[in-house]
Amino acid sequence: MAKVLFICAGCEHLGVEYISAVLKKHNHQVELFLVPILPEDPYLNIKLIQKKFKYSDFKDKLIKKITDNPPDFVAFSAVTDFYRYANEIAKEIKAKINVPIIFGGIHATTVPEIVITEPHIDMVCLGEGEYAMLELCNRNEEYKNNPLLDIQNIWFKNGSEIKRNSIRSLVEDLDEFPVSDKKLFHDAMPSFKRQYNLASTRGCPFGCTYCCNNALRSIYKEKGKYLRKRSVENVIRELEQNVSKETELVFFRDEVFPYNTQWLQEFADKYPKRVGKPFKLFIHPRMCTPENSRLLRKAGCIYVSVGIQSGNEETRRKYLKRVDTNEQIAAAIKNLKDNNIKVNIDQIAGVPGEGEAELLATAKFYNEIRPNVVTYFWMTLYPNTEIVTTYRELNLITDQDIDKINHGILQSDFLGGSVKFNVKSFSQFRTFLCYLPLVPKWLYALFIKWKLYRFADMNSRFMSSLFPRLVLAPFNRDVKSWKIEIGDWIGRIKYFNKFMRS
């Protein structure tokens, strides 16, 4: 039996929950430490909070806990935004105690050659890690004598020698996995219980240039079916087992939830009778057919996020590989709204080739389709995604910038991401687009005509983009989401205090 300690940023990680479930099923021990507040936290980056709840104090306490009671393996699951902090923690752990350290998650998967060269990192897990981690734990004693094992999906290092094992084939029948270990995260932060997060799908049918699926497809080339979906019965059984009176909302985290209409028909019949909680999800415009929209309403869907990213067809198609026309997108939004499903649309600032004229066209298009919410993101470049190559070819970034991205040194989305061009225009339109749902269509058309967006630049992220969403929440069935989100912010502070007292 092996003991694994996971260290994650202060949010729920579905991948870790699945790995934990597999390990516990085979009698291994799993513990979890969260890092709840980071120096560049997207929501808690407030001077008073950062002063009172010091990341450095928490890090010292975390390392002491590990050295006092070392596990067999310390496992970090890190997205690129968390990687530099995870790397820093791992380095300090290694300086105190020689415990094996393994890194997994999307950052380690996309740039394993960089991660494995860190002197304090012993192993890198690439891709889906359930069975790789299980095999590592099963062979724990063997690893102590031979740190260069032949376990697929894991790269091992011993001194200067690196063993790069191959990628195993994808598990095509997702129903073979046990139910994810929600207790691991819910015990750590009880506020997570208010929103039940799950995924019915792995993979994505699309190839957007800015998305991690863009990189993952190449890693899993010829390794089996990339896009896979659990059976309806498997999903419903998980929800029946875990959804409780505390659960206010279910959130399907699939990249695109309703890509199979036959599956959706069965789901729409079973979910209201056996679960019945309101739910929200991500969706692609191409999936918003009249039939799918009707079935989503029947099942109990109240809110969807639709990735549009730009209202300009040419730049959207050329640089993002989003080929749907504005006419098709408008029809998709209409189908959803006709079924009383509230629609949030995602907009990305920093699409190459876009300036004031293209953003103005986007504003006009969004005023025609009238979303309930506009969420504004700054383009943030992630390792080995296609958009990084595009940015470099257009001289929007340098080779040094790419090296920083690959080492997890990047600016968070809420601080402007990777965008260094047309920043003034993008900032003006952040406010202008996010306030669109608050303004009548006829009046917003006048604002466009009078070019009032030129006076709309707000430095405050809250006032420019979050405030309009908060005002609109009662009208968009979004109050539960806000309560859950604020509850999680408070939950992270409580976790910090409890951890420091323990």
Side-chain angles (χ1 to χ4, degrees):
M1 181 179 72
K3 177 182 174 183
V4 180
L5 170 65
F6 282 99
I7 299 178
C8 304
C11 57
E12 198 174 339
H13 292 245
L14 296 182
V16 172
E17 290 175 349
Y18 271 106
I19 293 172
S20 177
V22 169
L23 295 181
K24 287 181 177 179
K25 183 180 178 181
H26 291 84
N27 300 314
H28 297 292
Q29 286 185 305
V30 179
E31 289 186 285
L32 171 70
F33 286 164
L34 297 174
V35 183
I37 301 174
L38 296 171
E40 286 191 3
D41 195 287
Y43 296 107
L44 299 178
N45 190 27
I46 300 167
K47 285 184 179 179
L48 181 63
I49 291 177
Q50 293 287 336
K51 185 177 181 180
K52 183 174 176 60
F53 305 99
K54 292 182 179 178
Y55 165 72
S56 58
D57 293 345
F58 183 90
K59 182 179 63 174
D60 292 344
K61 181 75 171 183
L62 183 149
I63 293 166
K64 185 178 187 306
K65 280 177 172 281
I66 294 170
T67 55
D68 287 348
N69 185 22
D72 292 300
F73 301 101
V74 175
F76 287 85
S77 178
V79 295
T80 300
D81 300 77
F82 179 57
Y83 174 72
R84 59 178 152 160
Y85 302 110
N87 201 24
E88 181 182 69
I89 294 168
K91 183 178 180 179
E92 295 192 28
I93 291 171
K94 204 70 164 184
K96 296 284 180 73
I97 185 171
N98 189 27
V99 61
I101 295 176
I102 182 168
F103 267 60
I106 189 60
H107 188 82
T109 296
T110 51
V111 283
E113 290 282 2
I114 290 173
V115 177
I116 196 65
T117 58
E118 295 287 354
H120 43 276
I121 296 175
D122 304 292
M123 294 163 276
V124 171
C125 182
L126 287 74
E128 297 179 8
E130 289 91 346
Y131 291 141
M133 286 298 294
L134 175 61
E135 188 174 349
L136 176 63
C137 290
N138 287 344
R139 299 172 67 180
N140 178 33
E141 293 303 318
E142 186 181 350
Y143 173 79
K144 293 175 183 177
N145 299 314
N146 174 25
L148 297 173
L149 297 177
D150 56 340
I151 298 177
Q152 287 184 306
N153 285 48
I154 298 181
W155 288 11
F156 293 88
K157 183 177 67 183
N158 185 25
S160 60
E161 188 176 358
I162 297 172
K163 183 163 186 178
R164 299 168 177 82
N165 289 303
S166 62
I167 294 287
R168 66 185 66 211
S169 295
L170 289 163
V171 175
E172 295 196 8
D173 181 9
L174 299 182
D175 288 6
E176 77 173 54
F177 290 118
V179 172
S180 59
D181 182 14
K182 292 291 177 184
K183 192 173 186 299
L184 185 70
F185 281 83
H186 288 187
D187 284 354
M189 270 184 59
S191 62
F192 288 152
K193 296 177 182 178
R194 298 176 70 177
Q195 177 172 283
Y196 192 90
N197 295 299
L198 78 161
S200 68
T201 311
R202 294 193 186 187
C204 180
F206 302 105
C208 304
T209 60
Y210 50 87
C211 177
C212 65
N213 282 285
N214 182 267
L216 288 173
R217 277 185 176 277
S218 61
I219 293 169
Y220 277 112
K221 188 177 181 180
E222 298 179 357
K223 291 295 180 179
K225 187 179 179 182
Y226 183 65
L227 179 61
R228 296 147 290 154
K229 200 163 186 74
R230 298 161 59 187
S231 69
V232 172
E233 189 59 31
N234 183 267
V235 172
I236 297 295
R237 279 203 307 269
E238 174 184 344
L239 291 166
E240 285 180 323
Q241 290 175 29
N242 291 290
V243 166
S244 67
K245 292 180 179 179
E246 295 176 84
T247 308
E248 297 184 34
L249 188 65
V250 172
F251 192 172
F252 287 95
R253 295 283 185 170
D254 307 47
E255 305 284 5
V256 283
F257 178 77
Y259 71 86
N260 184 322
T261 300
Q262 186 177 352
W263 188 98
L264 188 57
Q265 288 170 340
E266 183 183 348
F267 177 81
D269 287 335
K270 293 182 177 180
Y271 183 91
K273 298 172 186 174
R274 294 168 58 182
V275 183
K277 295 284 185 179
F279 66 90
K280 63 179 183 177
L281 50 84
F282 301 117
I283 195 169
H284 190 281
R286 209 172 300 174
M287 310 299 178
C288 306
T289 64
E291 177 67 1
N292 282 357
S293 301
R294 182 188 67 80
L295 291 170
L296 286 173
R297 180 193 64 184
K298 177 183 176 183
C301 179
I302 61 169
Y303 189 100
V304 300
S305 290
V306 184
I308 296 178
Q309 321 311 355
S310 169
N312 185 280
E313 289 184 4
E314 181 182 355
T315 54
R316 190 172 64 228
R317 180 178 59 255
K318 182 177 181 180
Y319 295 113
L320 306 182
K321 288 190 175 176
R322 308 278 298 201
V323 300
D324 304 277
T325 66
N326 281 359
E327 184 179 357
Q328 290 170 324
I329 291 171
I333 303 302
K334 183 178 184 302
N335 290 335
L336 293 166
K337 294 177 78 172
D338 284 349
N339 284 279
N340 198 28
I341 296 172
K342 302 302 180 181
V343 179
N344 165 73
I345 61 173
D346 292 341
Q347 166 75 14
I348 295 180
V351 178
E354 293 201 348
E356 182 177 337
E358 290 76 20
L359 291 167
L360 187 60
T362 292
K364 290 177 180 178
F365 176 56
Y366 289 176
N367 195 35
E368 288 301 316
I369 62 177
R370 300 297 299 176
N372 301 101
V373 180
V374 177
T375 300
Y376 200 89
F377 298 96
W378 290 86
M379 179 75 78
T380 305
L381 304 179
Y382 290 109
N384 285 329
T385 51
E386 191 176 330
I387 194 69
V388 173
T389 303
T390 300
Y391 258 61
R392 184 65 189 94
E393 289 173 348
L394 295 171
N395 291 318
L396 298 176
I397 54 172
T398 65
D399 291 337
Q400 290 75 23
D401 291 327
I402 294 175
D403 186 63
K404 287 181 179 180
I405 291 165
N406 291 342
H407 284 84
I409 303 169
L410 45 74
Q411 188 166 255
S412 300
D413 157 66
F414 77 102
L415 291 175
S418 307
V419 183
K420 298 177 182 178
F421 67 98
N422 292 337
V423 172
K424 183 177 181 180
S425 289
F426 289 128
S427 297
Q428 291 170 340
F429 275 89
R430 174 176 65 174
T431 306
F432 195 64
L433 293 176
C434 288
Y435 275 79
L436 181 152
L438 282 170
V439 181
K441 183 177 180 179
W442 65 270
L443 184 57
Y444 198 82
L446 288 177
F447 288 174
I448 293 172
K449 182 179 179 180
W450 296 334
K451 298 185 178 181
L452 293 186
Y453 52 84
R454 293 179 176 175
F455 306 98
D457 190 7
M458 292 185 185
N459 290 326
S460 167
R461 179 174 184 262
F462 177 79
M463 289 304 300
S464 65
S465 54
L466 294 178
F467 179 73
R469 183 187 148 198
L470 178 60
V471 172
L472 289 161
F475 308 100
N476 289 335
R477 301 182 179 180
D478 203 22
V479 173
K480 282 187 173 68
S481 292
W482 267 100
K483 287 169 60 181
I484 290 163
E485 203 164 320
I486 293 170
D488 283 349
W489 301 342
I490 296 170
R492 287 160 60 189
I493 292 172
K494 287 181 177 179
Y495 179 89
F496 185 105
N497 284 331
K498 183 179 178 181
F499 191 90
M500 296 299 291
R501 289 196 304 267
S502 63

